[in-house]
Amino acid sequence: MRVVLVFSIVALLSAGCASIGSPFSKIKPDYSALPADAMKAVAKEIETAIAKGEREPKIADQGGVVVNNESVMQAIRTRAARLELIDGMLNSGFAYEDNHGLITIQRNAAYKKTGTSQDRDRNAVAIISENQSRWTLYEGIVDASHFSPRALGAIQQIFHEARVDVLKDGQKYQDATGAIVAKGGAPRTAPAVK
């Protein structure tokens, strides 16, 4: 079983995938399918707790948004535990927050010259794991709150905005136009490769 898992990860990496997509990742946000203000407050609270590395945050259900169920709370705990690793990738300049509420590695020539192939494999596994936790969080909120599946796109967008708010200056994100920009102004360049 372990060989199959390793082979699957290597196959994903050799194909150039840095995140696992979902057919729902391109859903147009439908804010009418959920209480948007309550969702924004919950997303801000969750992303702030994760950014502080809080593994047991006390986050209350609000305005019909249910977060106190095991899958959602486990996703929050897992993301908080992974904070240092994800922050390191964002600080490197090679990873960015995409506008669908996921994280992506820019697999360009400069990135391929950094570290070893094993380092890049570990980065990809971390990104895949982080994105899986985010999907668990988003889908868990939809299920626990009994929202329509149409709400998923809006939840992704709301969490993306909350995540951008807690990024550190210089960390990259994808804006509404799809451009990759650095928080705090001027675009951050990737570190020089030695």
Side-chain angles (χ1 to χ4, degrees), residues 3-4 44-46 59 62 66 75 83 86 108 117 122 126 152 159 161 163 169 177:
V3 171
V4 172
K44 180 178 175 102
E45 195 172 343
I46 288 171
I59 299 171
Q62 296 181 42
V66 178
L83 171 68
I86 297 301
N108 54 27
S117 63
R122 277 190 292 277
L152 191 56
F159 269 91
E161 291 166 2
R163 182 74 188 127
D169 282 348
T177 68

Side-chain angles (χ1 to χ4, degrees), residues 64-146:
V65 179
V66 178
V67 294
N68 284 297
N69 74 39
E70 189 51 38
S71 67
V72 171
M73 294 310 292
Q74 182 59 40
I76 293 168
R77 286 189 291 268
T78 303
R79 289 188 57 212
R82 198 182 292 116
L83 171 68
E84 190 174 325
L85 182 59
I86 297 301
D87 243 12
M89 285 188 233
L90 288 167
N91 289 335
S92 76
F94 293 117
Y96 66 93
E97 294 286 339
D98 76 21
N99 57 13
H100 297 292
L102 303 174
I103 187 168
T104 302
I105 294 176
Q106 292 179 297
R107 295 181 54 90
N108 54 27
Y111 176 71
K112 291 177 182 177
K113 292 179 183 176
T114 63
T116 65
S117 63
Q118 289 83 11
D119 293 333
R120 291 186 297 280
D121 290 349
R122 277 190 292 277
N123 290 345
V125 170
I127 295 292
I128 290 167
S129 298
E130 176 69 8
N131 286 339
Q132 182 59 45
S133 293
R134 291 181 186 197
W135 273 112
T136 299
L137 176 65
Y138 305 152
E139 292 170 340
I141 290 172
V142 168
D143 292 342
S145 304
H146 304 291

